[in-house]
Amino acid sequence: SAETDALIEPRDVVFLPDGRVAVSSLGSGAISFYDARTLEPRGSLVFGSAAGALRFDADVARMYFAYGRERHGGIAILDTDGTLHAQVPLHDLPQGLLPAAAAHRLYASFAALNRIVVFDTATRERVADWSLGSTPGTNYPLALNADGTHLFVAGRQGDEITVLDTGTGRELQDIAAPGGVGSMQFDARTHELYVAAGVGELVVYEEDADGVLHERSRIATRRGARTGLLDTAAGRYYLALPAGKQGPAEIRVYRVFAERHPEDSPS
């Protein structure tokens, strides 16, 4: 890797324990580091010419970065100081990544191939390869339920959510979702899945005792608002709203209830 000051089409932001933020750049295949308080540059790492997802697993203090280079791709595994720990060479660019430290698994989604590939994080070996059908998709945000038995995949054109059994890859459920899903987070306390969609909706699904998702609430946001963050410790959900005819760019904050009541909903 080499250093660069380029920040082209920023995609994912990760906050690191040492007081820095790491930003992936879709257009440059780089990770750029900044001081979290001053936003002063703290160096960059270049892995390719395009970037997929950037994820941080606090349980093992590792970053996972999906990158593309010419007609190939890979996953870079880095320590929090930016030191390269390992690389997994691939034939395609993974659009989505989801580490699961407890199970020693890393889930990678490939929209063009319509597949989910599972890696062992210790050996970096491919342990599963699941097809989602013959129709290529455009984006694949991923999330896991509380015990890691169900993988939620926003696939195809971002207008459906598929639930897979993480032990077998078997499809358990396929439900309609709002178009242009950009991010998903699961609240283990309430067994709720928060889905931010580019059509201008925030949808909350509830997982019942049998592991089946049901739509619980739907909130109008703003077209293009696809990036959300669930903070269970603070009981807040943060949604980034882009600038447009409806108003300037802003961060909208929703209150999340730790214990559900029939009359409760995010507000």
Side-chain angles (χ1 to χ4, degrees):
S1 61
E3 291 197 0
T4 180
D5 293 327
L7 186 61
I8 305 172
E9 296 182 64
R11 170 173 173 162
D12 286 332
V13 178
V14 167
F15 287 84
L16 300 174
D18 62 2
R20 294 181 303 157
V21 293
V23 184
S24 64
S25 295
L26 182 65
S28 67
I31 305 175
S32 300
F33 297 90
Y34 299 88
D35 185 286
R37 294 200 315 168
T38 67
L39 298 184
E40 293 181 359
R42 290 291 183 263
S44 296
L45 298 171
V46 180
F47 291 92
S49 55
L54 174 65
R55 297 290 182 264
F56 176 64
D57 192 333
D59 292 334
V60 293
R62 290 272 166 80
M63 288 187 291
Y64 298 86
F65 176 56
Y67 63 89
R69 182 187 300 127
E70 297 177 349
R71 296 185 178 182
H72 300 283
I75 300 171
I77 305 173
L78 305 105
D79 294 326
T80 54
D81 62 359
T83 301
L84 181 64
H85 179 73
Q87 284 182 285
V88 180
L90 300 168
H91 292 296
D92 296 279
L93 167 68
Q95 279 75 23
L97 291 178
L98 181 63
H104 303 287
R105 292 292 183 264
L106 176 66
Y107 299 92
S109 59
F110 296 83
L113 301 177
N114 212 26
R115 309 188 74 81
I116 302 294
V117 178
V118 188
F119 297 92
D120 185 304
T121 54
T123 65
R124 299 183 293 281
E125 296 291 332
R126 184 179 304 206
V127 295
D129 190 332
W130 303 327
S131 173
L132 294 172
S134 58
T135 305
T138 55
N139 62 326
Y140 279 155
L142 304 171
L144 283 169
N145 68 348
D147 60 9
T149 58
H150 291 174
L151 177 69
F152 307 114
V153 184
R156 310 307 199 278
Q157 303 301 315
D159 56 4
E160 67 181 23
I161 296 173
T162 300
V163 184
L164 301 178
D165 183 307
T166 56
T168 64
R170 182 170 63 91
E171 184 176 313
L172 302 175
Q173 188 179 6
D174 195 36
I175 60 175
V181 174
S183 59
M184 298 193 300
Q185 287 92 32
F186 190 82
D187 190 337
R189 304 168 308 165
T190 60
H191 295 269
E192 291 173 335
L193 180 69
Y194 287 74
V195 178
V199 296
E201 291 181 317
L202 171 61
V203 184
V204 182
Y205 298 89
E206 180 180 351
E207 183 187 49
D208 66 21
D210 296 320
V212 178
L213 288 182
H214 304 275
E215 183 177 321
R216 182 167 179 267
S217 61
R218 186 176 291 244
I219 303 166
T221 57
R222 183 182 298 173
R223 190 165 189 84
R226 304 174 62 243
T227 303
L229 174 66
L230 176 65
D231 185 345
T232 55
R236 296 290 184 269
Y237 182 86
Y238 301 90
L239 183 68
L241 276 64
K245 294 181 179 179
Q246 295 177 280
E250 62 182 81
I251 301 294
R252 188 169 293 178
V253 184
Y254 297 87
R255 183 159 56 102
V256 176
F257 293 90
E259 296 182 2
R260 294 192 304 270
H261 301 282
E263 68 275 11
D264 287 345
S265 64
S267 59

